[in-house]
């Protein structure tokens, strides 16, 4: 019995290999040929912009808090109009594991993953991307969201100017 | 002692404890906003609802408002109470701006925690939100009123606890607005406490704005280095800089709050000019080389000129361990020239206090319970602000306060002020002790006689003194008055405001050694040829800086061990950088003899904002952190003495050989500290007459400690720069009238340190016949050591 099993075990793999000789190959000749990954593929991380073209990132540091490999660092600063933004923003792609947790944590849709997977480099320092390298033109996957139009601290529309707000009250008023 | 049951667990609590606190003892956390241990319960946030099942109270009640009573059975998990709490949170969130990503409170926001804990996830309210216009509340506090949940904590902290008057609540229903009537700087020197008190992001720190999210902040329990009270603080740092300080909790000292100097005076650690590299003769060197050079050169001097040719100056800023090692170093050479404070008045005051206070020592916690507080030459807001807050709490409980001072002492509470010349303060103390006021004229007797009756009638009286004005003699008089006035039923307490966070520790180590003036004489006579300064600046801190600078010029060698850009650090032949107290572990002894430990918050290094010039951190990699050369002061001295640089071992040795420090072996951070054993430890110090003005110029000037931002470490802290006053003098209206000066006038002040243009301020509260001027760094008033008196000329400036 064991002999029969051994003969089958020897021949069957050859038969399977032989069968694949006549099928279309799944491998492609990278880099001459390139695949198009699905749109939600998690590769190069970018910082997107609001529909009005302003920076989306508010440097809330939730992405860096969520990052399991601590590859994101930044410093928040304040603009003249009260907008919080990233004075500098750095992602170390030599450390990034492309898990996408940063994009899930982002409350402003600023940080997004893209299907661009070709970011390898022999120089490690070239894999440390600064804000200028990360910032793209456009909204990415969400074309409508602007954080400051929903958070009511009056940066985009002035105080009390958002859709779901009354104008600022006069606390000194004597009206009931 | 009522015994009650909370969530099926039995607990016995002291009489008067509320149910919320009782639950906390059982580690059951009841959500709450408005309740605060120091502020008490008002039951306004409606969040601490619990179900009272059995006992004198029944139904859903606010647990902070119900005192624990026998037989109560309370449930925190009852569905009715839980549902009510959920609704309360939902109401609190109706007007919330939902801006957590850009809110500095994120990470320690009670509203965030309670919202998550209460299970409120989906917004059901579809109406519009109320909004507010913010106010600019000055350099410390940032307001964002839209986040407010109207818990009243800020107002209770600012007005009730801290005694501020310029912040309050306006409006009604959903127009409730917390702020000033008119936009402007918050005037209270305790304004920063509303940042800690606010459970959400309405009031946040302006200097800390957008610097760091709180989960990234490195924090550790520490002790405030700004005055002698030893308040518990929790500094936070990131990117190699200290970025904020919040109040720690120590019921024996500061309680739950701290002053603005402690809160915003952290920036001296990040000072751009802070010397961070060892130097030999002005040339940068390695630490090993600098240590070897110091050792060799001092040994050579000792060899050539005898052991007393090397003098040592300890510090009230350095840790107790380092100060003790400095003493060991001095004795290793056989030198007796060891002084622990360059300001002689403060030095003698601290030593006298340590020697004589004994069982009369009182903590700030005791002071809050006191019913009569007499301040002799103590200006709490300048010399130890949290003392003013403790006095206020005593006054809120009915205590009486009398300030006897040449200065117009301002307190955040009602107090009686009796102006008296500084030289007369010890006389008055002695007279009070003997119950004989014959040294005073009839008018003064009428003022001071009621004090005797008040002290006799008081149950827990405390005499408070200030080292600057009292000096050694005055503190001795303070201590003897306290023992003379004590009866068998009750003792009279003593508290003295000393020079620095470790003045008491230095005093214990100094024993009956020489004072700094004697040391200066020895330097001038060339018997002392080298001086080692441990975290002190004899050029600026001495009572007579001019004399000190002249004498110190004769030195053959100056070794400076410091963490600040002081004059001594600039002039040192050998400079050894050390860490600031937030960068190392160590201990201080505060002004009541309480030994407290502090832990390192961050490691030393050039802040990233500096190495990156405000932009990204540089894209280079170093083997060592730039600017990380400073080591702990005790580490450096242990290395100099060729001992094991191990803090635990050092403490064990200190505890073994000196029973006063036996507690060092059981010291722990984040506790209320350990009061040193009560024991007369020192022989009385022979005080020396301080230089007095003879009035040969037209006025006598009394130098005082300035307000918040005018202390050395505070002066180096940029957030406090806005509070640093421009040079001014304070006069009694009568003296001002004699000189033809009106309030607000510009005047020219001439002292032997030079000329200065000052603003004239008047106060009818102060003693007549003195000119008060604060010591202000980087101005012509720099040389005015607090407590010293000088001849001066004050002339009205006529506009050219």
């Amino acid at each position: 019995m064991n002999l029969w099993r051994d003969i089958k075990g020897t021949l069957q793999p050859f038969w399977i290999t032989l069968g694949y000789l006549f099928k279309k190959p799944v491998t492609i000749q990278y880099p001459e040929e390139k695949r198009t990954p699905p749109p939600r593929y998690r590769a190069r991380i970018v910082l997107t912009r609001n529909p009005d073209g302003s920076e989306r990132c508010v440097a809330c540091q939730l992405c860096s808090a969520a990052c399991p490999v601590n590859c994101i660092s930044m410093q928040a600063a304040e603009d003249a109009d009260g907008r919080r933004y990233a004075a500098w923003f750095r992602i170390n792609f030599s450390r990034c594991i492309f898990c996408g947790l940063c994009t899930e944590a982002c409350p402003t849709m600023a940080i997004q993953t893209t299907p661009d997977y070709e970011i390898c480099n022999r120089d490690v320092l070239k894999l440390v991307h600064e804000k200028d390298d990360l910032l793209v033109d456009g909204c990415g996957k969400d074309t409508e969201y602007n954080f400051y139009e929903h958070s009511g601290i009056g940066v985009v529309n002035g105080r009390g100017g958002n859709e779901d707000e009354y104008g600022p009250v006069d606390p000194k008023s004597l009206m009931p | 002692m009522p015994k009650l049951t909370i969530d099926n667990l039995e607990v016995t609590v002291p009489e008067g404890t509320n149910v919320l606190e009782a639950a906390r003892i059982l580690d059951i956390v009841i959500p709450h906003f408005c309740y605060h241990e120091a502020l008490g319960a008002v039951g306004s946030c409606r969040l601490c609802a619990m179900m009272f099942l059995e006992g004198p109270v029944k139904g859903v009640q606010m647990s902070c408002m119900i005192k624990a009573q026998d037989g109560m059975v309370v449930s925190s998990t009852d569905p009715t109470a839980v549902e009510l709490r959920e609704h309360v949170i939902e109401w609190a969130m109706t007007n919330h701006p939902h801006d957590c990503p850009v809110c500095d409170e994120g990470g320690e926001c009670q509203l965030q925690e309670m919202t998550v804990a209460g299970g409120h996830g989906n917004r059901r309210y579809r109406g519009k939100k109320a909004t507010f216009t913010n106010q600019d509340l000055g350099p410390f506090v940032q307001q964002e009123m839209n986040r407010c949940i109207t818990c009243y904590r800020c107002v209770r902290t600012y007005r009730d606890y801290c005694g501020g008057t310029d912040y309050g609540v306006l409006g009604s229903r959903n127009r409730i607005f917390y702020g000033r009537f008119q936009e402007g700087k918050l005037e209270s020197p305790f304004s920063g406490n509303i940042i800690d008190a606010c459970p959400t992001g309405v009031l946040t720190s302006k200097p800390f704005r957008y610097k760091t999210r709180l989960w990234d902040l490195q924090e550790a329990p520490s002790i405030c280095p700004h005055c002698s009270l030893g308040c518990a603080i929790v500094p936070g740092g990131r990117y190699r800089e200290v970025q904020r300080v919040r109040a720690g909790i120590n019921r024996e000292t500061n309680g739950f709050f701290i002053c603005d100097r402690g809160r915003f005076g952290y920036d001296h650690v990040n000072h751009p000019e802070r010397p961070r590299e060892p130097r030999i003769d002005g040339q940068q060197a390695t630490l090993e080389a600098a240590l070897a050079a110091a050792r060799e050169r001092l040994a050579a001097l000792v060899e050539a000129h005898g052991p007393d040719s090397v003098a040592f100056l300890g510090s009230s800023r350095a840790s107790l361990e380092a100060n003790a090692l400095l003493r060991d170093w001095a004795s290793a050479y056989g030198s007796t020239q060891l002084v622990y404070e360059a300001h002689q008045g403060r030095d003698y005051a601290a030593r006298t206090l340590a020697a004589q206070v004994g069982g009369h020592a009182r903590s700030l916690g005791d002071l809050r319970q006191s019913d009569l507080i007499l301040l002799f030459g103590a200006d709490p807001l300048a010399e130890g602000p949290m003392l003013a807050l403790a006095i206020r709490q005593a006054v809120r409980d009915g205590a009486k306060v009398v300030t006897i001072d040449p200065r117009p002492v301002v307190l955040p509470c009602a107090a009686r002020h009796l102006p008296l010349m500084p030289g007369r303060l010890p006389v008055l103390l002695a007279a009070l002790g003997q119950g004989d006021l014959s040294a005073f004229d009839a008018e003064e007797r009428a003022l001071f006689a009621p004090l005797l009756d008040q002290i006799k009638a008081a149950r827990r009286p405390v005499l408070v003194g200030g080292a600057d004005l009292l000096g050694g003699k005055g503190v001795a008089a303070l201590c003897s008055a306290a023992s003379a006035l004590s009866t068998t039923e009750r003792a009279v307490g003593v508290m003295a405001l000393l020079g620095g966070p470790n003045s008491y520790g230095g005093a214990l180590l100094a024993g009956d050694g020489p004072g700094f003036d004697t040391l200066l004489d020895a330097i001038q006579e060339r018997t002392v040829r080298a001086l080692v300064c441990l975290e002190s600046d004899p050029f600026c801190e001495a009572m007579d800086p001019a004399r000190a600078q002249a004498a110190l010029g004769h030195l053959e060698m100056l070794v400076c061990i410091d963490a600040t850009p002081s004059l001594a650090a600039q002039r040192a032949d050998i400079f050894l950088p050390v860490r600031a107290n937030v960068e190392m572990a160590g201990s201080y002894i505060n002004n009541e003899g309480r030994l407290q430990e502090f832990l390192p918050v961050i490691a030393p290094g050039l802040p990233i904002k500096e190495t990156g010039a405000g932009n990204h951190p540089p894209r280079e990699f170093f083997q060592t952190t730039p600017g990380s050369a400073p080591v702990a002061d005790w580490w450096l001295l242990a290395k100099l003495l060729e001992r094991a640089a191990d803090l635990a071992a050092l403490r064990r040795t200190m505890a073994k050989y000196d029973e006063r420090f036996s507690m060092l072996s059981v010291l722990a951070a984040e506790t209320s500290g350990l009061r040193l054993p009560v024991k007369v430890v020192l022989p009385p110090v022979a005080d020396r007459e301080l230089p007095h003005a003879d009035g040969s110029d037209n006025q006598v000037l009394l130098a005082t400690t300035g307000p918040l931002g005018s202390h050395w470490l505070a002066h180096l802290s940029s957030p406090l720069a806005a509070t640093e006053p421009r040079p001014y003098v304070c006069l009694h209206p009568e003296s001002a009238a004699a000189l033809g000066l009106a309030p607000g006038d510009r005047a020219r002040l001439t002292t032997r340190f030079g000329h200065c243009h000052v603003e004239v301020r008047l106060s009818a509260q102060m003693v007549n016949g003195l000119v008060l001027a604060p010591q202000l760094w980087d101005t012509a008033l720099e040389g005015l050591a607090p407590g010293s008196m000088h001849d001066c000329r004050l002339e009205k400036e006529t506009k050219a």
Side-chain angles (χ1 to χ4, degrees):
Chain A
M1 256 346 135
N2 278 347
L3 184 69
W4 176 239
R5 193 198 65 187
D6 291 349
I7 293 169
K8 188 185 169 200
T10 310
L11 292 180
Q12 200 172 23
F14 284 109
W15 177 248
I16 288 169
T17 310
L18 196 71
Y20 273 108
L21 275 178
F22 305 103
K23 285 186 181 161
K24 197 170 170 253
V26 288
T27 51
I28 55 163
Q29 289 302 310
Y30 184 81
E32 289 78 20
E33 282 176 70
K34 282 175 187 172
R35 268 192 214 287
T36 307
R40 289 174 56 178
Y41 191 80
R42 299 195 307 260
R44 181 196 291 275
I45 295 169
V46 294
L47 290 175
T48 60
R49 287 175 188 275
N50 282 321
D52 64 6
S54 56
E55 281 173 28
R56 254 181 185 164
C57 176
V58 296
C60 71
Q61 310 225 347
L62 284 173
C63 52
S64 63
C67 180
V69 291
N70 289 341
C71 71
I72 308 178
S73 54
M74 76 195 77
Q75 179 61 55
E78 189 178 9
D79 240 350
D81 62 354
R83 179 192 293 267
R84 184 180 165 130
Y85 71 99
W88 53 267
F89 192 107
R90 178 180 281 182
I91 298 182
N92 186 344
F93 279 109
S94 65
R95 222 194 262 175
C96 179
I97 55 169
F98 302 98
C99 64
L101 286 178
C102 50
T103 61
E104 283 180 38
C106 185
T108 64
M109 310 283 170
I111 193 164
Q112 295 184 11
T113 50
T114 63
D116 175 15
Y117 52 85
E118 293 183 301
I119 44 177
C120 292
N121 203 296
R122 285 178 188 278
D123 182 357
V124 172
L125 266 182
K126 286 191 179 150
L127 286 171
V128 179
H129 288 208
E130 304 292 356
K131 189 169 144 187
D132 288 343
D133 309 322
L134 296 164
L135 208 56
V136 297
D137 290 330
C139 305
K141 293 168 197 168
D142 192 310
T143 51
E144 278 162 24
Y145 188 68
N146 183 344
F147 169 77
Y148 280 115
E149 285 187 354
H150 297 273
S151 80
I153 55 164
V155 169
V156 173
N157 295 330
R159 294 195 70 81
N162 283 353
E163 230 171 68
D164 58 345
E165 289 175 341
Y166 293 112
V169 299
D170 175 13
K172 292 177 190 169
S173 159
L174 292 176
M175 296 302 285
Chain B
M1 298 278 276
K3 189 173 173 187
L4 69 164
T5 310
I6 304 172
D7 289 353
N8 300 323
L9 296 168
E10 275 197 355
V11 64
T12 311
V13 293
E15 200 71 50
T17 312
N18 62 37
V19 178
L20 194 150
E21 282 290 338
R24 191 185 280 172
I25 293 170
L26 288 170
D27 284 339
I28 300 168
V29 179
I30 308 298
H32 61 272
F33 288 132
C34 68
Y35 175 74
H36 187 286
E37 191 180 325
L39 304 175
V42 287
S44 77
C45 76
R46 315 312 286 168
L47 195 61
C48 63
M50 282 166 93
M51 178 59 105
F52 288 68
L53 301 164
E54 302 285 336
V57 188
K58 288 267 174 63
V60 173
Q61 300 284 347
M62 295 309 124
S63 59
C64 70
M65 297 301 284
I66 309 282
K67 296 270 175 282
Q69 287 170 54
D70 257 327
M72 277 184 167
V73 176
V74 189
S75 166
S76 70
T77 52
D78 185 273
T80 326
V82 171
E83 197 195 339
L84 176 70
R85 292 207 293 262
E86 277 175 24
H87 285 309
V88 171
I89 273 292
E90 203 173 343
W91 295 327
M93 290 297 290
T94 51
N95 286 325
H96 195 276
H98 294 97
D99 65 330
C100 297
V102 296
C103 173
D104 265 341
E105 193 80 1
E108 61 179 17
C109 178
Q110 267 177 283
L111 181 61
Q112 213 171 41
E113 285 163 19
M114 299 304 160
T115 308
V116 174
H120 170 56
N122 286 318
R123 187 176 170 79
R124 292 189 292 166
Y125 175 70
R126 293 286 162 224
K128 289 188 170 188
K129 299 174 186 178
T131 58
F132 299 86
T133 309
N134 294 329
Q135 289 180 335
D136 181 0
L137 296 176
F140 296 149
V141 182
Q142 177 80 33
Q143 190 190 36
E144 177 45 73
M145 254 315 284
N146 287 359
R147 298 173 185 147
C148 186
I149 53 163
T150 61
C151 73
Y152 271 81
R153 255 203 206 184
C154 54
V155 172
R156 289 191 295 146
T157 305
Y158 195 87
R159 294 185 81 95
D160 300 356
Y161 200 92
C162 300
T165 51
D166 57 325
Y167 180 92
V169 58
L170 306 165
S172 60
R173 51 184 187 90
N174 66 350
R175 286 198 310 250
I176 295 272
F177 182 86
Y178 297 91
R180 286 168 54 91
F181 190 72
Q182 262 160 354
E183 198 168 75
K185 181 186 176 300
L186 289 173
E187 284 157 12
S188 168
F190 306 100
S191 63
N193 288 314
I194 58 177
I195 298 167
D196 280 358
C198 180
T200 175
V202 181
L203 302 161
T204 50
S205 166
K206 203 175 261 184
F208 181 55
R209 185 159 166 84
Y210 292 169
K211 281 208 170 142
T212 293
R213 299 320 296 268
L214 297 161
W215 51 82
D216 287 332
L217 210 58
Q218 296 160 264
E219 287 191 328
S222 190
I223 303 298
C224 181
H226 285 283
C227 75
S228 60
L229 293 172
C231 299
I233 54 167
V234 185
R238 178 174 169 251
Y239 284 162
R240 303 203 289 259
E241 65 175 324
V242 181
Q243 295 187 328
R244 74 154 190 185
V245 167
R246 66 181 167 93
I249 299 173
N250 183 347
R251 288 174 178 80
E252 288 297 329
T253 59
N254 59 317
F256 297 80
F257 301 110
I258 52 172
C259 67
D260 284 355
R261 194 201 304 163
R263 187 180 299 273
F264 300 108
Y266 54 81
D267 206 35
H268 59 92
V269 183
N270 319 321
H271 198 277
E273 280 159 36
R274 175 178 164 187
R276 292 173 185 271
E277 299 298 334
R279 286 195 313 262
I280 305 173
D281 299 325
Q283 300 297 313
Q284 193 171 317
T286 63
L287 190 63
E288 286 71 29
L291 286 174
R295 228 183 273 137
E296 273 165 31
R297 291 191 196 179
L298 290 177
L301 274 174
V302 170
E303 186 114 320
H305 305 285
D308 271 351
S309 60
V310 180
F312 295 84
L313 178 61
S315 162
S316 57
R317 273 195 276 135
S319 65
L320 180 65
E321 291 84 354
N323 275 324
L325 283 170
L326 190 74
R327 185 182 58 171
D328 291 354
W329 195 13
S331 52
Y333 288 128
S335 169
T336 53
Q337 303 287 358
L338 174 64
V339 182
Y340 277 98
E341 196 138 355
H343 188 293
Q344 181 142 335
R346 289 175 178 173
D347 180 23
Y348 282 161
R351 286 201 245 173
T352 314
L353 185 80
Q356 299 185 13
V357 70
H360 294 283
R362 293 290 180 272
S363 69
L364 282 185
D366 298 331
L367 226 87
R368 285 191 282 267
Q369 311 287 323
S370 162
D371 61 349
L372 174 70
I373 301 168
L374 305 182
L375 292 100
F376 295 89
D379 185 357
L381 284 186
E383 296 161 5
M386 283 309 288
L387 173 63
L389 213 49
I391 293 173
R392 178 174 165 80
Q393 305 324 308
V395 169
R396 287 174 76 199
D397 280 345
K400 295 274 175 290
V401 179
V402 185
T403 56
I404 300 128
D405 207 294
R407 301 165 288 185
V409 176
V410 179
L411 289 174
C413 56
R416 202 158 150 246
H417 183 74
L418 305 173
L420 189 69
M421 278 292 185
R424 304 272 282 162
L425 287 168
V427 183
L428 175 64
L429 279 162
L432 288 176
Q434 290 154 7
D436 171 21
L437 291 169
S438 54
F440 294 88
D441 61 35
E443 199 183 322
E444 285 174 322
R445 264 207 299 279
L447 282 176
F448 298 135
L451 293 180
L452 278 170
D453 303 328
Q454 277 186 301
I455 298 171
K456 276 200 191 92
R459 305 286 312 148
R460 297 175 297 278
V462 181
L463 309 183
V464 180
D468 289 352
L469 291 200
L470 290 184
K473 262 188 193 165
V475 171
L478 190 77
C479 293
S480 19
S483 17
L485 292 164
S486 294
T487 60
T488 43
E489 289 94 58
R490 59 110 181 92
V492 176
V494 168
M495 174 178 265
L497 293 167
L498 304 178
N502 201 20
S503 285
Y504 199 110
L508 290 181
L509 292 163
D512 56 353
F516 190 66
D517 270 6
T518 329
L519 192 65
L520 285 182
D521 289 342
I523 294 172
Q524 211 133 26
E525 290 159 13
R526 309 285 173 95
T527 47
V528 167
R529 286 160 189 267
L531 179 65
V532 178
C533 301
L534 171 66
E535 295 185 55
S536 55
D537 188 355
F539 295 96
C540 303
E541 288 165 14
M543 287 290 274
D544 191 341
R547 175 158 174 254
Q549 300 210 7
L552 293 168
H554 296 304
L555 282 175
E556 281 172 32
M557 183 181 162
L558 178 66
V559 180
C560 179
I561 303 168
D562 205 356
T564 61
S566 61
L567 204 54
Q570 286 168 31
R571 298 197 181 168
D573 298 305
I574 296 180
F575 174 76
L576 298 160
V578 287
R579 300 182 178 194
N581 86 324
V582 291
E583 295 167 342
M584 63 176 194
S587 54
Y588 285 152
I589 302 180
N590 81 350
N591 64 336
E592 42 136 345
R594 184 175 297 278
L595 181 64
Q596 301 188 99
E597 187 183 33
F598 51 87
L599 294 181
V601 178
I602 55 166
L606 265 184
I608 280 182
K609 71 170 184 208
E610 262 179 63
T611 54
N615 209 334
H616 313 108
R619 297 168 65 102
E620 308 154 46
F621 299 102
F622 305 99
Q623 289 289 323
T624 50
T625 312
S628 62
V631 289
D633 47 11
W634 49 262
W635 193 97
L636 188 94
L637 285 163
K639 281 279 164 217
L640 265 169
L641 288 165
E642 289 169 333
R643 292 210 200 145
D646 172 24
L647 190 62
L650 272 177
R651 286 182 176 169
R652 271 198 303 277
T653 320
M654 280 175 75
K656 197 168 155 192
Y657 293 111
D658 196 335
E659 69 175 299
R660 295 170 306 179
F661 302 133
S662 58
M663 286 167 165
L664 268 175
S665 49
V666 290
L667 190 64
E670 251 182 323
T671 58
S672 55
L674 300 156
R675 176 84 68 83
L676 293 186
V678 173
K679 199 168 170 193
V680 177
V681 284
L682 299 171
V685 191
D687 204 346
R688 182 173 147 149
E689 264 319 300
L690 300 172
H692 268 282
D694 55 6
S696 55
D697 259 328
N698 69 358
Q699 290 286 314
V700 178
L701 179 141
L702 171 64
T704 65
T705 308
L708 281 189
S710 52
H711 294 232
W712 175 237
L713 293 182
H715 168 71
L716 297 174
S717 298
S718 55
L720 284 171
T723 64
E724 207 163 350
R726 294 163 60 81
Y728 68 90
V729 292
C730 192
L731 290 161
H732 192 274
E734 283 177 28
S735 346
L739 290 165
L741 292 167
D745 274 357
R746 306 289 303 165
R748 182 182 154 94
L749 177 73
T750 314
T751 61
R752 59 204 176 87
F753 303 113
H755 305 293
C756 184
H757 303 283
V758 293
E759 186 198 318
V760 175
R761 297 185 186 176
L762 301 190
S763 169
Q765 291 261 298
M766 67 172 284
V767 77
N768 193 358
L770 272 187
V771 177
L772 300 181
Q775 181 179 37
L776 296 176
W777 300 101
D778 291 337
T779 71
L781 302 181
E782 187 175 64
L784 301 176
S788 62
M789 291 174 84
H790 308 269
D791 291 315
C792 74
R793 209 164 42 242
L794 193 62
E795 296 147 318
K796 185 168 176 171
E797 228 164 59
T798 41
K799 281 199 182 110

